[in-house]
């Protein structure tokens, strides 16, 4: 059984949030854009003063559950974990407007999950620019809609995940027994990351490293022992930078809080076999890198994630896992389903 922890979905359409809110910056799906191939749609962002800016072209597998199910069947994926497209986080917007949009997106994800409860699990989105509203929507999404947790960004308008204003949200997720999937967005780098798709290829892995550093060195996992966190794209650059990070921590302890621990304290303990204290998905596009994260986290903390339906994802989810020869059947099952189920499990 394969469960894909990292997939994105949107409704086919939703009301014009630019008209509704009275300001620009919102995303919409243009189904009749002349520049777009038949059957596809163009994701665009409204501009102040009118008009739109191109974001990306998308196919029906983004919004049509029927198409998704066909493709899942064709690639041997039993279930997908659905989360919104990170551009919908809308942390730049007025909180109430983002909250209204998130309610609509969460209702949609819940509806798709209810129609096919064996095939889809859902993660919510919440307006993190207002932590109180965010907690309220997380409660509703989990308790009323039956979603398993939430997808959040790697920062909120420049505040890293260790910022004190965000702690109540993480604490609330732990209290609700809701998992938290951390997906990079609003990538750093500005104009220097304009070329060569660098926001996605360099910015995203760096964002995820910042998020993991912030969580670990602030002691959030010690403060919230029940919090379940998973970082997208196999933890970004963190696994490859771990040696440098540890060395830096050891030689300049003065730059870290007194209670901070060596990051390996949160990773798999090879001697006892105790797995890492947090999850990552399996999306590396590189067998050696995947073997490395399995070594660091343990098979029960690496969950198959494909980034479906986007081009940077793994076309046949789980194919790279299947190429790793040194795994037992049980370890393979961890990677393809049990790690995800443990992350999603409530109660
Ligand atoms: Co993604």
């Amino acid at each position: 059984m394969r469960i894909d922890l990292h997939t994105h979905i949107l409704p086919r359409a939703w009301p014009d949030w630019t008209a509704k809110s009275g300001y620009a910056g919102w995303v919409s799906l243009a189904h009749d854009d002349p520049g777009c191939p038949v059957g596809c749609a163009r994701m665009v962002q409204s501009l102040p003063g009118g008009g739109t800016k191109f974001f990306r072209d998308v196919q029906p597998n983004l919004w049509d559950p029927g198409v998704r199910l066909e493709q899942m069947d064709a690639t041997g994926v039993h279930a997908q974990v659905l989360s919104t497209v990170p551009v919908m986080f809308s942390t730049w917007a007025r909180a109430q407007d983002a909250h209204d949009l998130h309610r609509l997106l969460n209702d949609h994800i819940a509806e798709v999950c209810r129609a096919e409860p064996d095939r889809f699990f859902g993660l919510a989105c919440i307006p993190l620019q207002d932590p109180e509203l965010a907690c309220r929507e997380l409660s509703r999404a989990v308790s009323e809609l039956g979603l398993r947790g939430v997808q959040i960004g790697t920062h909120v308008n420049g505040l890293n995940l260790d910022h004190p204003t965000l702690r109540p949200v993480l604490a609330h997720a732990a209290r609700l027994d809701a998992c938290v999937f951390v997906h990079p967005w609003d990538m750093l780098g500005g104009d220097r990351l304009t070329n060569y798709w660098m926001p996605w290829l360099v910015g995203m892995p760096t964002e995820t490293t910042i998020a993991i550093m912030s969580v670990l060195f602030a002691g959030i996992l010690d403060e919230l022992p029940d919090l379940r966190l998973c970082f997208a794209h196999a933890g970004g650059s963190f696994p490859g930078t771990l040696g440098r990070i540890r060395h830096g921590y050891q030689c300049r302890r003065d730059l870290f809080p007194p209670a901070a621990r060596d990051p390996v304290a949160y990773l798999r303990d090879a001697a006892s076999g105790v797995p890492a204290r947090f999850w990552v998905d399996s999306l590396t596009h590189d067998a050696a890198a995947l073997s490395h994260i399995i070594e660091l986290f343990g098979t029960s903390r690496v969950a198959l994630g494909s980034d479906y339906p986007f081009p940077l994802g793994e076309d046949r989810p789980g194919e790279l896992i299947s190429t790793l020869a040194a795994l037992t059947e049980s370890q393979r099952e961890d990677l393809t389903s049990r790690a995800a189920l443990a992350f999603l499990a409530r109660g």
Side-chain angles (χ1 to χ4, degrees):
M1 181 160 94
R2 286 182 189 183
I3 297 178
D4 189 345
L5 184 66
H6 181 171
T7 82
H8 301 290
I9 190 168
L10 284 177
R12 188 182 181 281
W14 55 92
D16 180 351
W17 236 253
T18 305
K20 187 173 139 57
S21 69
Y23 55 93
W26 301 99
V27 170
S28 59
L29 270 185
H31 288 275
D32 49 5
D33 193 289
C36 206
V38 178
C40 296
R42 182 153 284 188
M43 281 179 90
V44 295
Q45 229 163 343
S46 64
L47 292 167
T52 57
K53 181 173 86 173
F54 173 82
F55 180 67
R56 65 163 63 122
D57 285 338
V58 291
Q59 297 171 5
N61 55 7
L62 179 61
W63 65 81
D64 186 334
V67 175
R68 294 176 83 100
L69 287 165
E70 276 170 30
Q71 295 186 344
M72 288 159 67
D73 289 340
T75 53
V77 173
H78 180 76
Q80 286 184 340
V81 181
L82 308 173
S83 55
T84 196
V85 181
V87 70
M88 307 303 281
F89 287 157
S90 312
T91 51
W92 54 272
R94 214 158 50 198
Q96 192 59 56
D97 298 325
H99 180 240
D100 291 344
L101 178 61
H102 290 167
R103 284 176 63 91
L104 178 150
L105 297 172
N106 293 338
D107 288 347
H108 168 254
I109 287 180
E111 186 188 309
V112 173
C113 292
R114 266 196 305 272
E116 292 286 347
D118 294 334
R119 309 298 304 272
F120 297 120
F121 300 95
L123 299 179
C125 48
I126 55 177
L128 281 165
Q129 60 269 57
D130 182 334
E132 211 183 301
L133 265 190
C135 286
R136 210 183 305 160
E137 180 57 7
L138 181 55
S139 294
R140 188 186 80 93
V142 171
S143 308
E144 290 177 32
L145 299 181
L147 304 189
R148 297 304 183 103
V150 62
Q151 177 189 232
I152 66 171
T154 39
H155 67 92
V156 179
N157 298 326
L159 305 180
N160 286 333
L161 297 187
D162 58 352
H163 196 274
T165 57
L166 299 174
R167 202 63 55 86
V169 182
L170 297 175
H172 191 62
R175 228 174 2 251
L176 282 173
D177 202 11
C179 59
V180 179
F181 183 58
V182 182
H183 193 298
W185 189 240
D186 281 334
M187 284 73 84
L188 77 180
D191 289 345
R192 294 192 52 232
L193 298 196
T194 307
N195 296 332
Y196 322 124
W197 211 8
M198 282 200 281
W200 269 253
L201 303 185
V202 177
M204 281 192 165
T206 307
E207 281 292 340
T208 304
T209 309
I210 295 171
I212 295 176
M213 291 271 289
S214 302
V215 165
L216 298 191
F217 286 116
I220 290 174
L221 296 176
D222 302 302
E223 191 184 318
L224 301 171
D226 298 326
L227 181 63
R228 295 197 304 285
L229 282 177
C230 178
F231 294 88
H233 312 140
S237 320
F238 176 79
T241 325
L242 179 61
R244 181 175 175 84
I245 293 168
R246 290 189 67 201
H247 184 80
Y249 164 75
Q250 279 150 7
C251 71
R252 286 300 306 270
R253 291 291 293 270
D254 58 305
L255 298 178
F256 296 81
R261 297 159 72 192
D262 185 320
V264 293
Y266 303 99
L267 300 177
R268 170 176 168 264
D269 182 51
S272 66
V274 173
R277 179 55 192 82
F278 58 97
W279 282 254
V280 292
D281 72 27
S282 65
L283 193 56
T284 59
H285 298 292
D286 182 279
L290 180 56
S291 298
H292 184 223
I293 64 159
I294 290 171
E295 192 65 32
L296 289 180
F297 292 88
T299 51
S300 60
R301 293 293 179 267
V302 179
L304 166 61
S306 78
D307 222 347
Y308 178 97
F310 296 132
L312 259 181
E314 187 177 30
D315 283 343
R316 301 191 69 84
E319 190 165 39
L320 189 60
I321 291 172
S322 68
T323 66
L324 298 185
L327 297 169
T328 66
E329 219 26 66
S330 171
Q331 287 176 320
R332 232 175 266 284
E333 246 176 77
D334 278 349
L335 298 166
T336 53
S337 62
R338 284 199 297 238
L341 290 172
F343 176 66
L344 297 167
R346 297 188 61 235

